[in-house]
Amino acid sequence: MKKSVLFAGALLMLTACNQNQKNTYTLEATFGEPSLNDKMAYIVDFDTEEVLDSAIINNGVANFKGTVDGSILAGIKAGEDNYGTFFLEPDSLVMNEGFIVKGGELNTKMNDHLAQRRDIVNDFKNLSPEEQEAQYPEVAEKMFNLDKNFMDENMNNAIGYAMFIQGASGDMTVEEIDSVTTKYPYIANSKRVAAMKDRLIQIASTGVGAKFKDFEVTYNDSTFRLSDHVGKGHPVIVDFWASWCGPCIRQGEVLKEIYKEYAGKGLEIIGVAVWDEPENTIKAAAEHKYPWEIVVNAQKIPSEIYGFNGIPCIIVFDGDGTIVSRDKQNDALREDVVKVMK
């Protein structure tokens, strides 16, 4: 009896070892930047942003070894920079200085697909201008069908997920996303897809015609509440911006013109800094001489409520707090302000 128990335990241990071997990966990653030597490189789960593995870069190379359950879309990070994505799978993988990963079933499939795309593009480039103009619709359709068929064939693995999350999902509605996640369990388990759906729901609930949603931001013992300004009987423009955002700074000049014309007629403008360091916000606001209130250190609070993932996001509220304009810029923004001021 005792020998049987010992044998069973040894068998379990052997099985576990074999399973680990089946799930083992190695990745030899080459970095062409000498400045990265002796720094840590990381493999990061693209979907969850979880760090999966780390290795020191020695002589331009980081060697990773670990286990992975199936195949996932992952990213390589070193220092403060990201170096592209690849498929982490149980195999011997190699990343060259161009950050192309070879090895494994899915990496091979994707590299072959990208080679087919390059062939189509190169053939098109070799045509004369007249031939390019005549054949463009046919070539564009060929490229579209190539991508679509490839994605459809791989929707229940990391390739389909990568193509879906990085491109195909951009213009989808909540209902369309639900139809995909119902059909493909691999996509349904994605945290990024869930966050995308939540963002679309937030956008739909904070679009033109909807009432404002309140939020508050505290910085240096001072608390800003949107409800202290919006819905008080006068129009309000809220500009979600950041000091590092070039388009935000350009729209700031447009808002200065609007402010100059309408501030004396009851219009209020508020600049809410998101995803920015407080000291950088304060410096930029002073440098650009914004004459309106600047809310510092809002970070992700407004974007999680209003669903935006890009800035500038400019929202115009009428006197009772109804959203009358969203995500407009330049002349389109000016036209909406004229309407609300009437």
Side-chain angles (χ1 to χ4, degrees), residues 113-132:
H113 174 71
L114 294 177
Q116 292 180 60
R117 295 182 99 258
R118 285 193 296 271
D119 289 343
I120 294 173
V121 171
N122 290 334
D123 288 345
F124 182 75
K125 286 181 177 179
N126 289 330
L127 298 174
S128 68
E130 294 77 13
E131 291 173 323
Q132 287 183 354

Side-chain angles (χ1 to χ4, degrees), residues 48-64:
T48 65
E49 300 183 357
E50 174 190 0
V51 174
L52 302 176
D53 202 352
S54 61
I56 294 288
I57 302 173
N58 290 315
N59 296 321
V61 177
N63 287 290
F64 300 88

Side-chain angles (χ1 to χ4, degrees), residues 258-310:
I258 293 172
Y259 186 85
K260 183 177 180 180
E261 184 171 357
Y262 292 109
K265 301 176 183 178
L267 176 68
E268 182 180 6
I269 296 180
I270 302 167
V272 179
V274 296
W275 319 330
D276 203 6
E277 295 297 327
E279 57 271 22
N280 294 338
T281 298
I282 294 168
K283 180 180 178 181
E287 178 183 345
H288 297 289
K289 299 179 180 179
Y290 294 145
W292 47 78
E293 180 177 358
I294 300 294
V295 180
V296 178
N297 205 35
Q299 301 306 343
K300 295 182 179 180
I301 295 172
S303 57
E304 290 178 351
I305 294 173
Y306 284 86
F308 59 87
N309 61 358

Side-chain angles (χ1 to χ4, degrees), residues 210-229:
K211 289 287 187 178
F212 80 97
K213 290 187 177 182
D214 200 14
F215 64 84
E216 65 178 49
V217 176
T218 299
Y219 179 70
N220 281 351
D221 299 324
S222 177
T223 298
F224 167 89
R225 294 181 182 83
L226 186 64
S227 56
D228 290 338
H229 301 262

Side-chain angles (χ1 to χ4, degrees), residues 48-89:
T48 65
E49 300 183 357
E50 174 190 0
V51 174
L52 302 176
D53 202 352
S54 61
I56 294 288
I57 302 173
N58 290 315
N59 296 321
V61 177
N63 287 290
F64 300 88
K65 183 176 182 179
T67 58
V68 60
D69 186 13
S71 302
I72 64 171
L73 181 64
I76 285 280
K77 182 176 181 179
E80 298 298 322
D81 296 320
N82 295 308
Y83 291 88
T85 58
F86 70 103
F87 300 106
L88 183 64
E89 46 190 325

